[in-house]
Amino acid sequence: MLVLIAVISFVASANALSFRATQSLCWQTEQIILSSNGTFVIYDDGVKVYSGSYSIDRSTGGNAIELYVGEHTLRCTFSWAKDRINISSLTFRGNVYRPCRR
């Protein structure tokens, strides 16, 4: 029974449109925070620059997200960490963001 529940939980989370855990990714002075509730915030040097919602694009096998800012949609590719919960890298505007170490 516990195995069945674990499998159902994994399948349900694999089909989710947002990440199971909040992701905090950095590149130089910029930080992208992707919350598990499907929202994101982008900071540059601690100042909020953009915010909006996002979703994981399942048509790519779950390796791309779409950021929705007003009427614009920005597409980013990412790589999963080995745990398939966290992101190991995200490409946004040609820059590679990695988990923050600050």
Side-chain angles (χ1 to χ4, degrees), residues 19 21-23 78-88 99:
F19 296 102
T22 296
Q23 308 292 314
F78 69 91
S79 298
W80 289 105
K82 289 180 184 178
D83 62 12
R84 295 283 297 173
I85 295 171
N86 296 300
I87 295 175
S88 64

Side-chain angles (χ1 to χ4, degrees), residues 66-78:
E66 293 183 338
L67 303 175
Y68 308 108
V69 182
E71 297 177 10
H72 302 284
T73 300
L74 305 170
R75 187 172 181 77
C76 305
T77 57
F78 69 91

Side-chain angles (χ1 to χ4, degrees), residues 13-53:
S13 64
N15 291 323
L17 295 176
S18 61
F19 296 102
R20 290 188 284 166
T22 296
Q23 308 292 314
S24 180
L25 306 159
C26 293
W27 176 78
Q28 295 185 356
T29 62
E30 296 179 13
Q31 179 180 21
I32 300 174
I33 299 174
L34 301 158
S35 298
S36 59
N37 67 0
T39 62
F40 76 92
V41 180
I42 299 175
Y43 295 95
D44 188 1
D45 208 16
V47 177
K48 182 178 173 180
V49 180
Y50 295 106
S51 64
S53 62

